[in-house]
Amino acid sequence: MKEKPERFQESINDLLNNNPAESFRRRRHLIETDLLTLEEIENIFSLAEKLKAQKEAGSFPLELLRKKHIALTFYENSTRTRSSFSIAAANLSANTVNLDISTSSVSKGESLEDTARTLIAMGVDAIVQRHSQNEAAESLANAIGDAVSIINAGSGKRSHPTQALLDCFTMLETVSSLKGKRIAIVGDTKYSRVARSNAKLLKRMGADIVISSPPELSASDLADLGISFESDLSKAVQNCDFVMALRIQEERLEKDLKIDKNSYIEKYQINHGILKEAGQNAKVLHPGPVNRDLELSSQVMDDSKYSLIEKQVANGIFIRMAILALLLNS
Ligand code: CP
């Protein structure tokens, strides 16, 4: 039997006010998932699940963040993250201020901190920030203290917490637990914030992670996490429950590093051939944007038996709604 909308509202209120909600709210910011407890993370997932059900029951927008102002400050390009934060805010009745960096005073030399302080003086309640520097979100949060919430929408090659949360949430829609699940993260892991954030979060959720990358694109810094490395893709994907393909991060490669794309396709492309080695019910994820027929074949990308990519995008809205609602609901 379908739950009634008022029943959802009751559950949503509980999830916004329970102990993990309050401890997450006290942190004020979302910089990386390893700063959250597993209970706080489970609570984000439970709230996202309820919000998704409420959307299906047709009762959006919610009034939870009426009169709140959320600044979207993207110093690097984005389609998915920026749009989904914007839709998430609208679904909660919040207003968004979308800073166009190229026409803002950042182009006249205003610093990140001064830009943030200017937005804070105007009364914004949260700043969602993407930046090419690894420490950008953390440094801003340290500089402004508790004035407003800083939400990391991707910083350098280090962290992309909302992506890892939505990826994990999407996997948990197909399996009841990630404990003991084998997950291959494939491709350019060295320059990927998605690889780093996912490896850390999935490891905490109990998954067995294997990284399969060309040597020059391998995130060797993740070895300390106790994950395995297998450069032979057919071995890496054996018995996998999930295969996560990653884009070559051209914008972050060292200048003299040239990738032979034909060789990359031959050794690391996720396609139907390689998926024969994976588990029978293996699913494929990709954070996007996808370079079709490079790291992922078009046939697999569009094959609903395997691809969770559209589900990842759709779930991004509910995870980001949950985060905004938890941090800003007062
Ligand atoms: N996955 C992701 O961060 O995509 P965008 O760069 O389009 O936001």
Side-chain angles (χ1 to χ4, degrees):
M1 198 175 72
K2 267 190 148 182
E3 280 190 79
K4 292 189 176 144
E6 53 273 27
R7 175 80 192 93
F8 288 132
Q9 194 56 56
E10 208 176 283
S11 317
I12 286 171
N13 285 339
D14 290 345
L15 293 165
L16 284 170
N17 292 297
N18 59 16
N19 288 339
E22 284 181 7
S23 62
F24 179 35
R25 199 152 36 245
R26 274 196 300 275
R27 296 183 194 286
R28 201 75 173 114
H29 311 296
L30 175 61
I31 305 302
E32 178 52 306
T33 61
D34 51 14
L35 300 173
L36 308 184
T37 64
L38 283 177
E39 288 73 28
E40 289 165 5
I41 290 168
E42 301 283 359
N43 198 53
I44 292 170
F45 291 161
S46 299
L47 181 55
E49 194 183 349
K50 288 290 173 202
L51 291 166
K52 187 170 182 174
Q54 182 128 4
K55 158 91 171 146
E56 281 156 16
S59 31
F60 274 12
L62 306 178
E63 292 292 314
L64 287 169
L65 297 187
R66 183 154 303 282
K67 299 188 181 161
K68 300 282 184 190
H69 298 284
I70 298 167
L72 305 180
T73 63
F74 279 66
Y75 297 85
E76 260 194 356
N77 294 345
S78 167
T79 296
R80 279 145 284 268
T81 313
R82 184 202 285 259
S83 309
S84 63
F85 266 113
S86 182
I87 293 170
N91 287 345
L92 295 165
S93 302
N95 175 51
T96 44
V97 180
N98 214 329
L99 199 69
D100 178 348
I101 302 302
S102 65
T103 58
S104 74
S105 291
V106 173
S107 64
K108 301 176 197 164
E110 191 166 33
S111 70
L112 290 191
E113 191 181 325
D114 285 342
T115 301
R117 290 196 188 282
T118 303
L119 293 165
I120 293 167
M122 290 178 195
V124 303
D125 300 283
I127 298 176
V128 178
Q129 181 186 266
R130 169 169 291 190
H131 200 278
S132 59
Q133 286 171 9
N134 290 345
E135 306 78 17
E138 190 182 353
S139 303
L140 184 59
N142 288 340
I144 60 123
D146 282 349
V148 301
S149 288
I150 303 299
I151 300 173
N152 183 0
S155 47
K157 58 182 184 177
R158 184 196 278 178
S159 52
H160 196 348
T162 61
Q163 182 70 45
L165 288 165
L166 76 89
D167 289 343
C168 205
F169 179 78
T170 305
M171 292 183 214
L172 284 169
E173 286 185 326
T174 72
V175 292
S176 56
S177 163
L178 291 171
K179 279 203 178 65
K181 295 289 181 246
R182 183 170 161 86
I183 303 173
I185 304 180
V186 180
D188 172 8
T189 52
K190 181 172 178 177
Y191 296 94
S192 171
R193 54 191 171 220
V194 177
R196 284 191 178 76
S197 281
N198 261 300
K200 285 192 243 171
L201 179 59
L202 293 169
K203 186 75 191 158
R204 283 179 79 200
M205 302 295 287
D208 290 330
I209 314 287
V210 55
I211 283 189
S212 189
S213 304
E216 68 277 23
L217 295 178
S218 185
S220 50
D221 55 300
L222 291 177
D224 292 347
L225 285 182
I227 60 184
S228 52
F229 289 77
E230 174 53 71
S231 57
D232 181 337
L233 182 59
S234 61
K235 288 186 188 154
V237 302
Q238 261 169 29
N239 302 317
C240 266
D241 299 285
F242 298 98
V243 178
M244 183 179 292
L246 297 174
R247 180 176 69 88
I248 298 174
Q249 312 281 304
E250 301 266 12
E251 67 278 24
R252 277 188 273 281
L253 297 187
E254 278 141 40
K255 281 196 177 55
D256 52 353
L257 181 57
K258 296 276 173 277
I259 306 296
D260 176 345
K261 294 200 173 149
N262 288 331
S263 163
Y264 184 90
I265 289 168
E266 195 183 311
K267 291 184 181 156
Y268 292 100
Q269 186 186 76
I270 303 300
N271 51 40
H272 279 113
I274 201 75
L275 288 172
K276 287 195 183 119
E277 308 288 336
Q280 264 199 338
N281 297 316
K283 300 289 178 201
V284 173
L285 296 102
H286 191 304
V290 175
N291 290 309
R292 279 179 179 264
D293 298 315
L294 177 52
E295 69 268 12
L296 182 62
S297 75
S298 273
Q299 288 85 351
V300 169
M301 183 171 171
D302 299 332
D303 183 347
S304 58
K305 173 177 181 299
Y306 288 109
S307 176
L308 295 180
I309 296 171
E310 286 187 6
K311 288 195 168 71
Q312 288 173 270
V313 171
N315 284 337
I317 307 267
F318 305 109
I319 286 291
R320 290 170 178 128
M321 281 180 76
I323 288 161
L324 291 173
L326 282 161
L327 286 175
L328 300 186
N329 188 46
S330 46

